[in-house]
Amino acid sequence: MRRFVAVLALAALCGCAGRGDYFRDAGPAPAPAPRTLSEWPWQEIWTGVVFRGQKVGFSRLSLRPAADAPGAWDLESESALRLRFLGVDKRVSLRASDRVNGELQLLRFRYDYVLDGSRLRVEGERSAQGLRVRTEAAGSSTEALLAPESPALPASALALLPALRGLRVGDSARVTVFVGESQSLAAAEIRVGAYEASTLFEGKAYRVTTSLLGLETETWLDAQARPLLETAMHGAMISALEDPARARAYLVEASLAKDETLLDFSRIPSAAVPRPRSASALHVVLVGVPPSLQVPDDAGQRCQRSGERLDCRIDRRPRGRSAESGDAQRYLRPTIAVPSHEGQFTALARSLDVRTADPDGSIGRLLTWIDANIAKEAVDAFSAADVLRERRGECQGHAYLFAALARAGGLPTRVVNGLVYMPESEGFLYHTWNEVWIPGEGWRAVDATFAQPRADATHVALVVGESAAELAPLAALVGQARVSSVGDFAHW
């Protein structure tokens, strides 16, 4: 479940049930004794995954002693999701192998992700210096050494930790986790909040809340350390124990997720915005925005916050102003998502005459080429190389490719994620675009999907970044944010 949420955040782009009467106090909770992995009560569990009332996937987790390493344990897992978006079946799958010691601390790992046909592999091991991580996507690879302050656990081990440590109601634990989707370390907090019964599962269970990367999941663990139920994304995504045959049956169900579930979930209704693609200025107020979300405040956007209320005035009209470059040069560096150093990008940028001395002309030529050569399809990708190879992509893929070509030509360019008004949807949808650093002007919003050299003012930036870790806060926002008001329009 936690890995699904992270990958959905990467795709970026309500809940089925609130707490209501589904849960009740189950009386005094027995004091759980700490367990050891050698006496773990199960070897394998299967769960079915439901998104807003529709069956969309399954996951499996197994725990077995390592055959070739006494005292070590292998956590093997596989997961699959399938949703429908803009008439296209979107598929996410993961195969993961984590070797851990008796305390669930990571020894080595390998993760294989597939997102709409794009592949990402992350593997590595613990060494005396830290975690060595190797990442490969679309033929591009990177290596990194991460130095955790405390031994890292894999995300797959978080559901086992409360039973392993014998946590009681009111107890909490804080651990370091290696997140494969973002190839990074993060702090996870686990809290045992209550002992409950429910109409949604049989028996009694401990309610455990896990916070990771700004996202929360709630898991109900029974006396056998089995996750009877788990919810995420404010209840929109639910997983529950199933027998293996039933969990996998969805793969052959022709009727699976026929509705536009993801689009409906991510849409934010609002009052109409006249001529949105030519809007040069507007005022929009959002509510339900977590205070922890650090919203960008540049590129013609100025926002004021009051609790979960975000008041933004956006003005994309050119303004002659001098701006300091700040950290702009960091947005020339290649990444897994934007491998701008590769020959295919440097050669194409050169052929399109992308250069720092002519930012306006370079932006125009890039947009023209992308618009003519990259199909606009609801297909996700891990890397700009996937988009260039397939010659198709959704908004995020267009932004990755634009950033790769712009950086290859020496233009500092970042990937921006947020909202844009779509008249066909009668509201705002989650969207991805770019900002290019222009000397003497500052950051300029550019939209490769709409071929806009100056993105219109209905683009509301919420997160800057291209990695799963940077995008994860959006998952906490989807399904919760609302538009309170929109107005004060100006047009080009």
Side-chain angles (χ1 to χ4, degrees):
M1 176 73 81
R2 298 174 184 87
R3 284 172 165 156
F4 278 151
V5 172
V7 175
L8 283 175
L10 185 63
L13 140 121
C14 197
C16 297
R19 298 195 55 78
D21 297 326
Y22 292 106
F23 302 94
R24 62 184 184 277
D25 183 79
R35 294 180 181 270
T36 64
L37 296 186
S38 60
E39 60 179 10
W40 207 254
W42 52 261
Q43 282 194 326
E44 185 174 77
I45 54 173
W46 290 74
T47 59
V49 181
V50 173
F51 181 62
R52 301 196 76 200
Q54 291 196 17
K55 182 73 171 290
V56 296
F58 77 92
S59 66
R60 176 190 65 85
L61 177 65
S62 68
L63 172 68
R64 291 181 173 84
D68 57 344
W73 299 81
D74 287 329
L75 280 168
E76 303 280 348
S77 60
E78 64 173 316
S79 310
L81 270 185
R82 181 181 170 192
L83 302 100
R84 195 166 181 83
F85 180 59
L86 297 179
V88 176
D89 280 336
K90 302 188 73 62
R91 300 168 185 258
V92 182
S93 67
L94 163 67
R95 287 186 178 273
S97 176
D98 292 302
R99 177 159 290 184
V100 298
N101 63 17
E103 298 299 317
L104 296 176
Q105 296 165 355
L106 197 55
L107 301 177
R108 74 181 190 198
F109 53 90
R110 175 173 169 170
Y111 311 135
D112 288 288
Y113 304 91
V114 181
L115 175 62
D116 288 346
S118 296
R119 298 179 181 276
L120 173 70
R121 172 171 292 177
V122 182
E123 60 183 358
E125 62 281 326
R126 188 172 79 178
S127 68
Q129 291 76 35
L131 281 182
R132 297 190 180 277
V133 183
R134 297 176 293 277
T135 306
E136 180 179 344
S140 180
S141 61
T142 62
E143 293 192 14
L145 178 65
L146 306 179
E149 295 183 358
S150 58
L153 279 63
S156 60
L158 288 176
L160 281 63
L161 193 65
L164 184 75
R165 296 191 177 181
L167 297 182
R168 307 182 182 197
V169 172
D171 286 352
S172 64
R174 189 176 178 86
V175 294
T176 300
V177 175
F178 174 67
V179 183
E181 293 76 17
S182 59
Q183 305 91 58
S184 65
L185 298 169
E189 184 178 1
I190 298 172
R191 305 182 301 278
V192 183
Y195 187 59
E196 296 178 328
S198 174
T199 57
L200 302 178
F201 53 77
E202 295 183 1
K204 303 174 181 180
Y206 299 89
R207 175 166 53 86
V208 179
T209 302
T210 304
S211 300
L212 175 65
L213 291 175
L215 308 174
E216 282 198 349
T217 59
E218 284 192 315
T219 309
W220 282 263
L221 297 169
D222 69 4
Q224 300 302 309
R226 299 182 306 161
L228 301 180
L229 180 73
E230 184 167 286
T231 68
M233 299 179 77
H234 306 283
M237 185 171 282
I238 298 173
S239 69
L241 282 183
E242 285 188 349
D243 64 82
R246 184 178 177 187
R248 300 193 73 160
Y250 95 98
L251 290 171
V252 295
E253 291 177 4
S255 62
L256 173 71
K258 281 187 174 179
D259 296 337
E260 296 287 354
T261 311
L262 187 59
L263 178 62
D264 183 56
F265 180 60
S266 60
R267 185 177 72 93
I268 303 177
S270 82
V273 175
R275 295 181 287 134
R277 299 291 78 86
S278 64
S280 59
L282 63 75
H283 176 207
V284 60
V285 177
L286 299 173
V287 294
V289 180
S292 58
L293 189 69
Q294 300 298 311
V295 175
D297 204 34
D298 48 24
Q301 175 174 303
R302 295 290 180 268
C303 297
Q304 293 183 331
R305 177 186 287 282
S306 176
E308 293 192 346
R309 184 178 187 273
L310 193 67
D311 189 319
C312 294
R313 293 188 177 274
I314 302 167
D315 192 336
R316 304 292 190 200
R317 290 171 290 193
R319 297 181 183 275
R321 65 182 185 274
S322 177
E324 297 294 331
S325 61
D327 63 350
Q329 294 305 302
R330 66 173 283 204
Y331 294 104
L332 287 173
R333 301 172 190 161
T335 66
I336 281 290
V338 184
S340 52
H341 63 300
E342 292 185 358
Q344 58 185 331
F345 298 111
T346 57
L348 183 53
R350 188 164 50 249
S351 72
L352 295 173
D353 194 24
V354 179
R355 49 195 170 90
T356 57
D358 179 26
D360 290 307
S362 297
I363 290 170
R365 289 187 290 275
L366 282 177
L367 293 177
T368 298
W369 188 91
I370 291 173
D371 193 50
N373 291 277
I374 305 299
K376 296 172 178 61
E377 296 184 13
V379 177
D380 287 299
F382 284 113
S383 166
D386 294 319
V387 181
L388 188 58
R389 181 187 66 249
E390 298 293 330
R391 296 297 178 103
R392 60 178 184 160
E394 39 62 86
C395 61
Q396 196 173 63
H398 279 65
Y400 285 170
L401 180 57
F402 181 91
L405 294 171
R407 291 180 193 178
L411 300 177
T413 302
R414 60 193 188 187
V415 177
V416 182
N417 311 270
L419 303 172
V420 69
Y421 182 83
M422 295 296 290
E424 302 87 349
S425 300
E426 299 181 338
F428 286 81
L429 295 179
Y430 289 87
H431 187 53
T432 305
W433 62 97
N434 298 100
E435 290 176 356
V436 181
W437 177 262
I438 309 294
E441 176 182 339
W443 291 106
R444 179 192 299 177
V446 175
D447 192 321
T449 306
F450 298 151
Q452 292 181 317
R454 290 184 183 274
D456 65 71
T458 73
H459 291 67
V460 184
L462 298 174
V463 173
V464 174
E466 58 217 46
S467 72
E470 292 166 320
L471 291 173
L474 281 180
L477 188 68
V478 177
Q480 300 302 302
R482 304 187 309 280
V483 173
S484 174
S485 65
V486 58
D488 294 346
F489 310 119
H491 293 82
W492 281 306

